[in-house]
Amino acid sequence: MRKITTATFVSLDGVMQAPGGPQEDPVGGFEFGGWTFHYWDDVGGAFIGETFAKPFALLLGRKTYDIFAAHWPYQKDDPIADRFNAVTKYVATHRPDTLSWQNSQSLGDDVVATLRQLKQEDGPDLLIQGSSELIQTLLANDLIDEISLLTFPLVLGKGKRLFGSGAMPAAFKLNRSQASTTGVIIASYERAGEIKTGSFAQQQPSEAEIERRRTWK
């Protein structure tokens, strides 16, 4: 069976839009494209290198696919470009006939059903890059097995966010974490069942607490 994983750059307030450059995704008047640039160091580079060293296929939304397809095939002597160009690209798109990047495949009309089927097959894990809208669909359908977050020490205020209001409640387990020299927190989580709740409240609540609960209903 295959897993769906994501490695995502986010700000402290959860924005993931246009981390790579000003022209990457200015949709909605986003002004801070390229916000990760000054935070890169050997620690972050090593994590990315490790992520791309494992067998994977890319899982992309159409906007991220177009960004990648206009960049990676034209990079020379770049190991990431070599990997991205060679692997299979599964794309959520309504325009399958325009997938010009080599080894690209449409996920078809029912993206969720196709991904459920792909997860049952043998093959490399499916790695999401960018693709904020596709991530919302996957979170809403509980399809993401592992999440790696690179959290950068800045607040962007507005922009496309990793976790939207439609995300399905789920528990995750921390597998690893480390900090870069520039303050980026790198943490990897895997799916860990359902959310378990408990209570720190007194077994016998006070009259004031009982009244508080009554007024909040």
Side-chain angles (χ1 to χ4, degrees):
M1 293 181 61
R2 308 165 81 171
K3 294 180 179 179
I4 294 178
T5 69
T6 181
T8 304
F9 309 142
V10 294
S11 63
L12 290 174
D13 54 337
V15 174
M16 60 177 293
Q17 185 170 351
Q23 301 304 316
E24 183 178 338
D25 183 10
V27 170
F30 188 71
E31 300 175 351
F32 301 109
W35 47 271
T36 66
F37 182 83
H38 293 289
Y39 293 93
W40 280 105
D41 67 355
D42 289 342
V43 176
F47 176 81
I48 295 300
E50 179 184 326
T51 299
F52 295 152
K54 304 171 185 176
F56 67 91
L58 282 171
L59 179 56
L60 303 171
R62 184 60 200 244
K63 291 178 182 177
T64 297
Y65 174 85
D66 287 341
I67 292 168
F68 281 16
H71 176 78
W72 292 114
Y74 305 97
Q75 305 309 302
K76 306 299 182 184
D77 301 319
D78 185 320
I80 294 178
D82 292 342
R83 290 285 284 152
F84 279 15
N85 291 328
V87 302
T88 300
K89 276 74 70 175
Y90 294 102
V91 188
T93 180
H94 297 298
R95 296 175 286 121
D97 56 322
T98 61
L99 297 177
S100 58
W101 192 8
Q102 64 192 68
N103 304 321
S104 298
Q105 297 183 25
S106 169
L107 289 169
D109 295 331
D110 192 335
V111 169
V112 171
T114 300
L115 289 175
R116 291 194 192 284
Q117 178 60 42
L118 284 173
K119 289 185 69 173
Q120 298 302 313
E121 298 176 357
D122 294 329
D125 289 344
L126 307 173
L127 174 64
I128 308 166
Q129 293 282 279
S131 308
S132 60
E133 294 181 14
L134 176 59
I135 283 178
Q136 303 312 307
T137 299
L138 301 184
L139 288 171
N141 288 275
D142 196 23
L143 281 169
I144 298 181
D145 302 290
E146 296 181 4
I147 297 175
S148 292
L149 297 181
L150 288 81
T151 305
F152 289 71
L154 74 175
V155 173
L156 295 172
K158 68 175 183 177
K160 298 176 182 178
R161 283 174 160 76
L162 173 60
F163 295 105
S165 59
M168 181 177 292
F172 285 81
K173 179 179 71 173
L174 178 66
N175 281 337
R176 60 179 285 185
S177 64
Q178 62 186 129
S180 77
T181 62
T182 59
V184 178
I185 303 299
I186 303 171
S188 296
Y189 305 85
E190 69 176 24
R191 190 72 169 82
E194 305 304 314
I195 295 174
K196 299 177 181 178
T197 63
S199 177
F200 292 103
Q202 294 179 333
Q203 205 165 28
Q204 297 297 325
S206 66
E207 292 184 6
E209 172 63 12
I210 293 173
E211 178 62 17
R212 183 194 69 82
R213 296 179 189 178
R214 185 187 67 79
T215 59
W216 273 61
K217 292 181 179 180

